[in-house]
Amino acid sequence: MKSYSESYKEAGVDITAGYKAVNLMKEHVARTMTQGVLSGIGGFGGLFQLDLGEIRHPVLVSGTDGVGTKLKLAFLLDKHDTVGIDCVAMCVNDVICCGAKPLFFLDYVAVGKNVPERVAAIVSGVAEGCVQSGSALIGGETAEMPGFYPPDEYDLAGFSVGVVDKEKIIDHSAVRPGDAILALPSSGVHSNGFSLVRKVFDVEHSDLTLYSDELGATLGETLLTPTRIYVKPMLALMEQVEVKSISHITGGGFYENIPRSLPEGCTAHIDRTTLKTPPIFDLIRRKGNIPERDMFNTFNMGVGMSVVVAPDKADEAVRILRAQGVDAYIMGQIVPGEGGVEV
């Protein structure tokens, strides 16, 4: 008997819309399939067979996050096929900081009203993020929650699981004064600080489609640019150079994130003149009259990830990353200190 409930539909939950959404997203999910996937979409659990290869002491590493209030931009612009990349990026970029290779991803989409085409667009972005990070999208959940979310709004979250050999976990213990700090450029604001961004630009009452010469795009396009995923370039780097620590620059900016990748007795000294900061950050600073320290304590300021390597390996590391399409550069060094960041 075909599943259908008129009573549930009258309460605001359309089961058949859920089935349609699943069918529409199948082609996107198929793009992410990797060798370890054992299950197809629609089961009660996602199955993944772990191929340990040469890993002697496997350690699973997990990361979870959402997209945050950046979703408000997607609602306003009615563009839903990129925020899924943000969701994946926020998780896999954390996992790679431990030296782990992401294996699979699961998403959670909570909607006020299940519009199958919109849900499929969201999942298409998740699938793209999975492809960029080499992860398999092995499952997820779409929850229709009328009365909890407005009909045109939703929330999006997910989690990633990766694996690393215990002997190769990156834990910052090898960091020493004199080590070089590399910057991996961001694609823009990424997915943090959007409560402040929305306030500065009053996005609900602004025309986000107006072209800006300063930005080289519309404000909406610039702000909705998805978070860059660093997994594949970092995996390539770790195969050739000893990486001592990695920091994913997210909410809290430089001052909160970089210290998490440093041991006691070490401070990160950043040469501000080297930073390649996109115009959107200066526009935010001017428009919102925001102190420079607050900018560095809220946004990535053009650096999506920082990497610490030995000074004699810095140039080689930069070459490897640039060969992977990441325009990395040296932005500072580790100095003796009581922790923290000097910018």
Side-chain angles (χ1 to χ4, degrees):
M1 180 182 294
K2 186 177 181 180
S3 177
Y4 177 77
S5 172
E6 186 65 36
S7 299
Y8 210 7
K9 185 175 181 180
E10 290 178 358
V13 179
D14 188 350
I15 298 174
T16 58
Y19 299 150
K20 182 178 180 181
V22 170
N23 285 328
L24 289 175
M25 69 177 70
K26 282 183 177 179
E27 64 177 287
H28 304 299
V29 175
R31 297 178 55 217
T32 75
M33 292 299 99
T34 60
Q35 189 173 357
V37 179
L38 298 181
S39 58
I41 188 172
F44 286 98
L47 306 181
F48 190 92
Q49 182 174 341
L50 189 59
D51 181 6
L52 297 179
E54 298 180 356
I55 298 178
R56 297 176 57 193
H57 302 102
V59 176
L60 296 179
V61 180
S62 59
T64 186
D65 210 337
V67 182
T69 63
K70 184 175 184 175
L71 291 176
K72 287 285 189 179
L73 275 297
F75 305 157
L76 291 168
L77 294 167
D78 194 24
K79 182 174 174 55
H80 311 283
D81 60 349
T82 61
V83 289
I85 301 175
D86 291 292
C87 187
V88 175
M90 298 306 293
C91 299
V92 298
N93 283 345
D94 279 351
V95 167
I96 198 68
C97 287
C98 297
K101 177 183 178 181
L103 298 173
F104 58 83
F105 189 85
L106 285 88
D107 62 2
Y108 175 79
V109 186
V111 302
K113 179 178 175 58
N114 192 335
V115 180
E117 293 77 11
R118 184 171 61 201
V119 172
I122 296 168
V123 174
S124 75
V126 175
E128 175 59 27
C130 287
V131 169
Q132 291 184 22
S133 62
S135 304
L137 180 56
I138 64 170
E141 173 70 11
T142 301
E144 190 169 15
M145 302 170 66
F148 196 87
Y149 294 98
D152 294 329
E153 296 191 3
Y154 55 86
D155 199 4
L156 174 62
F159 75 89
S160 171
V161 174
V163 65
V164 62
D165 196 315
K166 188 176 182 179
E167 299 173 354
K168 297 182 178 180
I169 293 175
I170 297 175
D171 61 2
H172 70 53
S173 60
V175 174
R176 298 289 185 272
D179 286 340
I181 307 173
L182 310 184
L184 279 63
S186 69
S187 57
V189 183
H190 281 185
S191 300
N192 300 103
F194 270 84
S195 293
L196 179 54
V197 169
R198 289 168 44 238
K199 177 184 177 183
V200 166
F201 293 112
D202 190 17
V203 295
E204 284 82 1
H205 303 98
S206 299
D207 187 351
L208 300 174
T209 64
L210 289 177
Y211 184 83
S212 166
D213 289 331
E214 181 177 0
L215 300 176
T218 68
L219 178 61
E221 290 170 340
T222 302
L223 294 176
L224 207 54
T225 300
T227 304
R228 190 164 192 173
I229 293 176
Y230 301 98
V231 170
K232 292 181 179 179
M234 286 304 305
L235 289 174
L237 177 64
M238 290 185 292
E239 287 180 358
Q240 302 175 65
V241 171
E242 179 192 2
V243 174
K244 296 189 175 186
S245 76
I246 308 172
S247 178
H248 183 200
I249 313 299
T250 56
F254 279 49
Y255 289 105
E256 184 174 314
N257 291 286
I258 294 179
R260 295 164 61 184
S261 65
L262 301 177
E264 291 186 11
C266 289
T267 292
H269 176 75
I270 307 299
D271 181 354
R272 190 176 302 187
T273 64
T274 66
L275 298 181
K276 302 175 182 179
T277 305
I280 182 61
F281 294 104
D282 189 51
L283 184 59
I284 293 170
R285 181 190 60 79
R286 298 196 322 267
K287 182 77 172 177
N289 193 27
I290 301 171
E292 191 169 57
R293 193 190 190 287
D294 287 358
M295 292 293 296
F296 277 92
N297 210 160
T298 306
F299 302 109
N300 66 61
M301 299 301 286
V303 180
M305 185 165 279
S306 67
V307 176
V308 176
V309 298
D312 61 342
K313 296 294 184 180
D315 290 340
E316 181 183 358
V318 168
R319 286 196 299 270
I320 293 168
L321 289 168
R322 289 183 176 177
Q324 294 292 317
V326 178
D327 190 22
Y329 58 94
I330 300 171
M331 69 171 179
Q333 66 174 341
I334 303 297
V335 298
E338 299 182 0
V341 181
E342 300 172 355
V343 182

